[in-house]
């Protein structure tokens, strides 16, 4: 049976908030795309309890709680606690926090782009040498080893890293900006 398509509506305006980024962030937190997506879908439909999420998704309650607490620890979900006057038990109502999610996504977007920039600068500012078995060294490392690979005792040859530089220049963050 196909799942009903949920519309991700955000109560906070940010160029980083979109369905792709929210699902990517959830996956980065849980490393379980399917489960985290099902739970997100529930959080976007209404303020819901963990029991309601478990019932709606068919996911075991303890696993739902585990994912919700990962979201809570990261700050992308929060809850309100209400006490039942009859049973005196607390019920937790969960919802998605758009503002915090936007901040985390922006941070990850910037981190990814900085890593790409750092890699590009490293490749552009260094000369590399490689052995026949693929061990790769910077010029300084190669001179320290007298152009002999310390791992396989083979001669190191110059490596033209132009293709690597071009590949890095084409890299983009896994997160997207809405106006791109």
């Amino acid at each position: 049976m196909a799942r009903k398509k949920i519309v991700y509506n955000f109560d906070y305006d940010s160029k980083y908030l979109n369905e792709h980024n929210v699902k990517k962030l959830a996956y980065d937190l849980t490393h379980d795309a399917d489960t985290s997506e099902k739970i997100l879908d529930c959080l976007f439909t209404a303020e819901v309890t963990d029991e309601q999420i478990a019932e709606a998704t068919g996911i075991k309650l303890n696993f739902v709680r585990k994912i919700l607490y990962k979201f809570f620890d990261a700050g992308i979900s929060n809850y309100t606690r209400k006490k039942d006057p009859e049973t005196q038990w607390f019920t937790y109502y969960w919802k998605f926090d758009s503002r915090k999610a936007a901040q985390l996504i922006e941070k990850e977007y910037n981190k990814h782009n900085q890593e790409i920039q750092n890699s590009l600068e490293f490749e552009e500012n260094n000369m590399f040498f490689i052995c026949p078995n693929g061990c790769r060294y910077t010029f300084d490392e190669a001179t320290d080893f007298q152009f002999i690979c310390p791992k396989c005792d083979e001669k190191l040859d110059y490596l033209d890293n132009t293709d690597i530089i071009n590949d890095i220049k084409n890299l983009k963050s896994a997160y997207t900006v809405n106006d791109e």
Side-chain angles (χ1 to χ4, degrees), residues 67-108:
I67 299 289
L68 286 171
Y69 284 117
K70 283 184 180 185
F71 289 171
F72 177 77
D73 288 343
I76 68 168
S77 72
N78 52 45
Y79 61 84
T80 54
R81 187 174 77 162
K82 295 179 183 168
K83 192 174 193 177
D84 185 314
E86 293 178 17
T87 63
Q88 299 298 307
W89 286 47
F90 287 106
T91 303
Y92 294 83
Y93 292 90
W94 293 86
K95 64 180 181 176
F96 182 78
D97 188 338
S98 296
R99 181 181 302 269
K100 183 64 176 179
Q103 292 169 350
L104 284 172
I105 291 167
E106 181 179 5
K107 181 180 172 185
E108 287 299 309

Side-chain angles (χ1 to χ4, degrees), residues 2-111:
R3 274 199 323 231
K4 180 182 169 188
K5 175 70 175 152
I6 303 296
V7 177
Y8 283 59
N9 293 317
F10 304 103
D11 59 1
Y12 178 72
D13 187 31
S14 169
K15 66 182 183 178
Y16 298 99
L17 277 177
N18 58 54
E19 185 175 340
H20 165 79
N21 287 351
V22 169
K23 288 179 179 180
K24 170 80 173 111
L25 179 62
Y27 172 77
D28 289 347
L29 294 171
T30 65
H31 304 292
D32 186 340
D34 189 49
T35 303
S36 61
E37 188 175 326
K38 287 178 183 176
I39 292 172
L40 277 176
D41 287 351
C42 290
L43 293 176
F44 274 99
T45 56
E47 192 174 51
V48 291
T49 67
D50 48 3
E51 290 92 357
Q52 290 170 326
I53 294 171
E55 186 178 314
T57 61
I59 301 169
K60 290 183 180 180
L61 181 59
N62 62 342
F63 200 65
V64 168
R65 288 178 176 155
K66 180 181 174 183
I67 299 289
L68 286 171
Y69 284 117
K70 283 184 180 185
F71 289 171
F72 177 77
D73 288 343
I76 68 168
S77 72
N78 52 45
Y79 61 84
T80 54
R81 187 174 77 162
K82 295 179 183 168
K83 192 174 193 177
D84 185 314
E86 293 178 17
T87 63
Q88 299 298 307
W89 286 47
F90 287 106
T91 303
Y92 294 83
Y93 292 90
W94 293 86
K95 64 180 181 176
F96 182 78
D97 188 338
S98 296
R99 181 181 302 269
K100 183 64 176 179
Q103 292 169 350
L104 284 172
I105 291 167
E106 181 179 5
K107 181 180 172 185
E108 287 299 309
Y109 176 82
N110 291 333
K111 182 177 120 187

